[in-house]
Every structure is written in structure tokens, then in C-alpha cells.
Amino acid sequence: MLQDLLSRAEDLDAADPLASFRSRFHMPQKDGRDVLYFTGNSLGLQPVAAQASVDLELEDWRVWGVDGHLRSRNPWFSYHRMFKEPLAAIVGALPHEVVAMNTLTVNLHLMMISFYRPTATRYKILIAGHEFPSDRYAVESQLRLHGHDVEQAMIELEPAPGTFELSDAQITEAIREHADSLALVLFSGVHYYTGQFFNLKMIADAAHAVGANVGFDLAHAAGNVQVNLHDSGADFAVWCSYKYLNSGPGGVGGAFIHERHADRADLVRLAGWWGNDEATRFQMAHAFQPTYGADGWQLSNAQILPMAAHKASLDLFTEAGMDRISAKRDALTGFAYDVITEIFGTRTDVRIITPADPARRGAQLSLQFDVHGRAVFDALTARGIVVDWRNPDVIRVAPAPLYNRFADVAAFGRHLAEVLQEVA
Ligand SMILES: *Cc1c(COP(=O)(O)O)cnc(C)c1O
């Protein structure tokens, strides 16, 4: 049965319309051979075109100096504008709703400054349990900034005992339970630990129905799943570009602010000159006039070098299209799910905690081990398989549709079956 399943990989690769994209990335090597890379959810691979894109900006800086702001081939003055169309297509937004800027946690703080406006009675923030540390620190520090007690004001929602998913009903009930005191619902699009893809529109509707704002952290969702941000109705979203978006370590982040807030000069925000209307930006003494849309939240002039790598990567997303990327993700991760399920067989000490329903997950599968998890991880690593370990007990495996093949998943399956025998 496992052999039958694994033998299908070649046919699946032959029929894959995105197969050629693998050659557009640099694959790391171990002992002179390509590794099996399944960590695009942590750091995506380098697009081959990234080098030329960064070199072009270095050249123009060398040639033009300060005049490059207006005279370089991609003028730095308006550089950030090149990202609006491709990012909008990736996150399902209108171009003026998105902006490439800063990094994820910085953007999360900027968004909370505007959309977490607690009052004496409405001040709680609802988040998923076991949330990524940076998000928790950001939430805790925002609560303290406004003088609230973290214990009382940060509501963490855990899956029911013995389960790993947060059900839609559980989320909406929690929102209703805190209806009058809830100021903000802040959820991941895809949970970094379990890999669950949440129903963003349902969460946004439920939050708005009780008068709370809603924001999404798309660190593990951007470039992975179709989030349809505009239609979700979310007030804001933030993401990083170095995971599924393959834009390099520490790459430039992004933010979405829904169109209904585009010209709200009344919103409190931490302002900087790049968020000011271009027409008056250089009248240095002028009072701050936010520019329309997400651009009005920019603080500083664009970070050209990391953004050049981002541009090279987004070109690949534009070429492949999120529809095709999503279709392949479902097929590839579904294949991995079947292979791993077959290998785990009747064992009760290992399990996939990521939802079985393809509509409730993205590329990542989280394998939870009651025992020997770390030894399995180390043995896989020694074989040139790049997966990651998340304390206390999970190996995350994320086949990325732009550069992983079905054959990679089949090879992973063969190694995993052997390693489980060895470590037993
Ligand atoms: C990766 C990740 C981050 C990283 O934040 P940076 O500000 O980019 O360092 C934050 N939150 C979540 C949920 C993540 O997955």
C-alpha cells in the first residue's frame, strides 16, 4: 500500500503545471547533493533572480548616489508602489489596502496602536492558545501600554482536551462570551504550531458583531493559502516575507488595512514622513497629512535592498498565480498527509495534529511524538532532510508548492519509515 502510494509521485510530478518553478530557486546542498527541503514555512528558498535584482539596485546606487531616488531604473522614491499589485493578488486585497514595509512584529505594533483602542470596559484581546511568542509579547506589551492587566485582559483560546483544532463554534462562543469587554480579536491565518488554517471571514464577522476590531497575523498564511483579506472584512493584517514568500532572512514585512479605514485621519497612528501625503511630504514643517490607504501607515523611506529580493520573489508568485499555487499545495500536502498516515499506521504514540480537512490547513503538517520525537528529528536531519523541531514535541514538515516535488515527499516518506524503525 505504501509502495503503491509512493510510486505515484513520478506521475504526479509529470502532470504538475508548476514543476518548472523548482529550477527558479537555489536548493541548498548537503554532501554534494540537494537536501530535501521542507522548511519553506520558516525560511523560504532563494529565487535565482534575487541576486540580479539586488545587484541592480547596488549598481544604480553606485552610479547615481542620491540622484537614484528619482533617476534609478526603479526609482527609490516610489519603490514601494511596485509591491501593491502583486501583494494584493497574494492576500486577496485591493492594491491601496496593502503596503510592503518594516517587519512583522513592528507592523503588528503599528496596527495595534491604531486598532486596539481600549476603553475602561472594552479592553480584552482574544488570541489563539500556544501562539507564537512574538505575537504574545506584542499583545502583552500593548496591554501594559494601556495600563491593563495581562492576566485579565489577554484571553487565550485552547483546543478542547484531547483535540488539536479550534472549532469554529468554540471561537464564536468565546467571542460572544466576552462580547462587551472585547476590544480586539487577533488571530493567525495559519497557526504556526498546529498548521490549522482558520476561517478568517467567520472570525471577522463574529468579532464585528460584538463591536470588536479584528486583525490577522499572516506569517504562515501569506503565499501559502488564499486568505481573501478584503472580503474577510478584517480591519488589518500583517505578515513577513521570508517564509512562504521567499524574500530572504529578515526581509521586508507587509500590512493590510481595510479600505473602510483608508482615509480615516481620525485614527490614532504612529506617524512618519513616508506616510504623509506625497504632495506635502517635503514641506518639512507641515502638519502630518496621512496619505490614502495602507501607505499612510508607512514611517520611513523604503528599504530598497531587502525589497529588491522581495520583488524578485513576488514576480514568481505573479507568474505562477495563487490559484495554481493553491491547487498544487492541496495536492502536494494531501499526498504528504496520505504517505505519513500510511507510515504511522496503527501506532498510537505519533499523530498528525494538523487538520485532516484540506480546507482547514495550508502546506504544513505538524507531526506530534509522545516519545523519541527529537531522535527522529535528528536522524532525519542527518539524512539531509530539512524539517524543523518545535518544542515540546512537534516536527513540522511543509512542502512548498513552488519548489517541492511529489518525488521529494515520496523520498521523505521512505526516510521517515526507516527512521521510525531505527529509533523504535
Ligand atoms: C515568523 C513569525 C513571526 C516573526 O516575526 P518577525 O517580526 O518577522 O521576526 C511572528 N509571528 C508569527 C506568528 C510568526 O510565525
Side-chain angles (χ1 to χ4, degrees):
M1 181 65 193
L2 178 63
Q3 290 313 320
D4 291 348
L5 198 54
L6 297 179
S7 66
R8 286 174 44 212
E10 266 179 34
D11 290 343
L12 291 167
D13 279 322
D16 170 14
L18 298 183
S20 67
F21 278 85
R22 181 184 177 88
S23 65
R24 317 276 293 273
F25 291 88
H26 292 291
M27 185 63 69
Q29 302 215 318
K30 180 179 162 70
D31 305 331
R33 294 174 53 194
D34 285 355
V35 298
L36 289 169
Y37 197 84
F38 298 109
T39 323
N41 58 339
S42 185
L43 186 69
L45 293 180
Q46 183 181 138
V48 173
Q51 174 99 51
S53 188
V54 174
D55 283 350
L56 185 145
E57 301 308 334
L58 285 171
E59 264 168 48
D60 283 0
W61 176 25
R62 194 160 61 224
V63 170
W64 291 108
V66 70
D67 289 343
H69 282 299
L70 295 172
R71 302 187 66 174
S72 56
R73 282 164 282 181
N74 304 309
W76 307 325
F77 177 78
S78 52
Y79 203 84
H80 62 278
R81 284 196 217 130
M82 292 191 294
F83 298 84
K84 305 180 88 59
E85 296 276 350
L87 283 175
I90 289 168
V91 299
L94 302 169
H96 62 257
E97 290 178 317
V98 298
V99 61
M101 62 179 189
N102 311 315
T103 49
L104 189 157
T105 309
V106 171
N107 289 337
L108 184 54
H109 275 297
L110 293 180
M111 294 301 113
M112 283 200 280
I113 290 289
S114 295
F115 296 103
Y116 175 58
R117 306 297 309 158
T119 64
T121 53
R122 191 182 277 286
Y123 56 89
K124 291 179 187 166
I125 303 180
L126 178 74
I127 63 172
H130 208 119
E131 195 42 277
F132 195 82
S134 197
D135 300 56
R136 298 181 84 252
Y137 302 153
V139 166
E140 289 174 14
S141 54
Q142 287 279 335
L143 289 170
R144 289 200 193 94
L145 173 71
H146 292 282
H148 290 289
D149 173 46
V150 173
E151 282 284 296
Q152 212 228 331
M154 185 167 81
I155 314 294
E156 292 180 86
L157 203 50
E158 297 289 351
T163 71
F164 306 100
E165 280 182 55
L166 284 172
S167 70
D168 289 357
Q170 221 185 328
I171 298 171
T172 46
E173 272 161 32
I175 290 171
R176 268 188 241 118
E177 184 191 333
H178 300 280
D180 298 331
S181 54
L182 200 55
L184 177 67
V185 175
L186 178 67
F187 251 71
S188 288
V190 173
H191 195 277
Y192 90 99
Y193 190 71
T194 66
Q196 179 175 358
F197 175 23
F198 295 106
N199 184 336
L200 305 192
K201 180 159 172 44
M202 183 221 54
I203 294 172
D205 286 348
H208 287 152
V210 301
N213 281 337
V214 60
F216 294 118
D217 179 337
L218 304 182
H220 283 268
N224 175 19
V225 290
Q226 287 176 295
V227 285
N228 301 319
L229 276 182
H230 177 83
D231 291 343
S232 81
D235 295 286
F236 72 87
V238 294
W239 56 88
C240 55
S241 67
Y242 49 80
K243 293 175 178 168
Y244 293 97
L245 291 177
N246 309 319
S247 300
V252 66
F256 160 92
I257 293 109
H258 197 279
E259 185 178 38
R260 65 179 172 276
H261 303 302
D263 56 2
R264 285 192 53 194
D266 62 305
L267 276 176
V268 171
R269 66 182 94 191
L270 294 183
W273 71 321
W274 230 248
N276 196 81
D277 191 358
E278 274 176 25
T280 55
R281 186 181 294 158
F282 289 90
Q283 299 171 14
M284 299 299 190
H286 208 281
F288 180 72
Q289 283 181 343
T291 195
Y292 185 83
D295 285 7
W297 272 264
Q298 291 173 110
L299 298 179
S300 303
N301 69 101
Q303 299 146 259
I304 303 302
L305 297 180
M307 286 168 85
H310 194 30
K311 181 176 181 301
S313 175
L314 294 190
D315 286 347
L316 297 176
F317 277 84
T318 302
E319 197 180 326
M322 276 310 289
D323 286 343
R324 288 200 299 171
I325 290 172
S326 263
K328 176 164 177 197
R329 181 208 62 236
D330 271 350
L332 190 63
T333 301
F335 183 61
Y337 193 92
D338 292 346
V339 167
I340 295 166
T341 302
E342 192 66 32
I343 291 167
F344 285 174
T346 55
R347 293 178 64 144
T348 54
D349 59 341
V350 284
R351 65 199 66 85
I352 302 176
I353 61 170
T354 306
D357 177 359
R360 295 174 75 83
R361 69 180 183 221
Q364 171 187 326
L365 298 176
S366 302
L367 319 185
Q368 188 185 48
F369 293 77
D370 293 343
V371 287
H372 306 315
R374 186 74 211 192
V376 171
F377 170 75
D378 290 340
L380 290 171
T381 304
R383 288 165 177 247
I385 299 169
V386 187
V387 289
D388 73 9
W389 175 253
R390 280 293 171 266
N391 278 326
D393 54 9
V394 158
I395 292 176
R396 302 188 304 176
V397 186
L402 280 178
Y403 50 75
N404 280 123
R405 299 177 298 206
F406 291 87
D408 298 339
V409 171
F412 171 78
R414 291 192 182 94
H415 284 293
L416 179 66
E418 286 175 16
V419 164
L420 287 176
Q421 294 284 326
E422 276 171 27
V423 170

